Amino acid sequence: MTLSRKLKFAAAAATLVMATAGSAAADDGWIVKNSDASVEQTADKLVAAVEKAGAKVFARVDHAAGAKSIDAELADMTLVMFGNPKIGTPILQASPRAGIDLPNRVLIWDEQGQTRIGYLDPAALKTRHKIEGADEAFEVMAGALGKLTDAASK
């Protein structure tokens, strides 16, 4: 299989994985919501809400643009990475390995014409890394992610 075909297959597989993410809280630890706006508009709203809340946006990754750069097709898909040290630091102190999942990442993608916005439930993060303590940080994170993604999806 040529590199181009492998990359197209990988892009299609990623789209399929994202398309199977359920709504609300899924069994795989994801929380997924619908947005009436485009992927780009939803990402813009998320970035604005994050900045208004006093958190820092570390990166905005346009996966579709990456695919286009190698002449592959991928539905619109943007990843926004952001965080607040007041929330993340206690979690990282409890388990440095949680740094693989922090700062928070929210994925926004087009799923057959419907814009979706999803993220890993902080409870799943806590379970994944077997974190004891930092309960308050996880509660604040869950509330913030819920509010920020609600603001972005409206």
Side-chain angles (χ1 to χ4, degrees):
M1 186 181 289
T2 67
L3 177 59
S4 177
R5 289 193 64 176
K6 287 180 185 177
L7 292 170
K8 286 179 183 177
F9 177 78
T15 301
L16 179 60
V17 167
M18 297 317 314
T20 59
S23 59
D27 291 338
D28 60 2
W30 274 72
I31 295 175
V32 180
K33 303 172 183 180
N34 292 330
S35 173
D36 292 331
S38 70
V39 169
E40 184 176 2
Q41 291 167 331
T42 301
D44 289 344
K45 289 197 252 181
L46 178 62
V47 166
V50 166
E51 291 172 345
K52 183 177 179 183
K56 175 153 177 61
V57 175
F58 294 104
R60 182 171 172 163
V61 180
D62 184 339
H63 287 300
K68 193 173 194 173
S69 76
I70 59 161
D71 295 324
E73 291 185 28
L74 186 63
D76 288 345
M77 185 182 300
T78 298
L79 176 72
V80 179
M81 295 176 61
F82 61 92
N84 182 330
K86 290 179 183 178
I87 299 170
T89 300
I91 295 168
L92 295 170
Q93 288 171 328
S95 176
R97 289 182 178 195
I100 193 71
D101 290 314
L102 295 177
N104 289 303
R105 293 170 288 176
V106 173
L107 185 66
I108 305 157
W109 71 98
D110 180 294
E111 185 176 301
Q112 299 176 349
Q114 173 64 62
T115 300
R116 309 274 278 166
I117 181 169
Y119 58 93
L120 182 65
D121 186 339
L125 174 70
K126 183 173 183 170
T127 300
R128 175 187 296 179
H129 297 287
K130 300 177 179 85
I131 299 174
E132 299 290 327
D135 293 340
E136 184 177 339
F138 280 107
E139 289 174 20
V140 172
M141 181 184 289
L145 283 166
K147 289 177 185 175
L148 295 168
T149 55
D150 281 350
S153 66
K154 295 188 187 295

